[in-house]
Amino acid sequence: DQSAHRFSYTNGKKIGQDSYEDAKPFNAEGYAAIKKNGKWGFVDINGKVVIEPKYENARSFSNGNAAIMENGKWGFINKKQVM
């Protein structure tokens, strides 16, 4: 599928086996936002889903928090999904 997003290291080695509808780049915090089945979640640098896709939208983590949209409203979560 040409519209699928997959992660790989700069040497071309794939990260994880999954593909996503959309994805944001990894940042210094080691998480990337991914979209699967219309919802956003997060994976770590090994491709492991660390926050299941359940949000309407998401932004990358910064200073320990990520902006997420839930029920049409923006808020912030930490890596333990605490708002």
Side-chain angles (χ1 to χ4, degrees):
D1 181 353
Q2 292 184 4
S3 65
H5 293 262
R6 291 183 177 88
F7 291 108
S8 62
Y9 295 104
T10 55
N11 67 6
K13 181 181 174 192
K14 300 273 187 263
I15 299 173
Q17 299 297 317
D18 292 330
S19 60
Y20 307 103
E21 296 163 34
D22 199 358
K24 306 215 185 305
F26 284 99
N27 61 15
E29 305 224 10
Y31 282 13
I34 51 97
K35 185 177 185 183
K36 191 164 189 169
N37 299 321
K39 298 290 184 177
W40 287 88
F42 294 86
V43 295
D44 66 14
I45 60 171
N46 297 309
K48 179 184 174 195
V49 174
V50 291
I51 296 176
E52 289 293 329
K54 62 182 180 180
Y55 299 107
E56 296 166 29
N57 205 337
R59 301 287 185 258
S60 297
F61 273 87
S62 178
N63 296 317
N65 294 296
I68 53 92
M69 180 182 280
E70 193 170 38
N71 300 318
K73 296 183 179 181
W74 285 97
F76 290 92
I77 59 169
N78 64 21
K79 291 182 178 179
K80 294 181 180 179
Q81 302 182 63
V82 176
M83 289 190 96

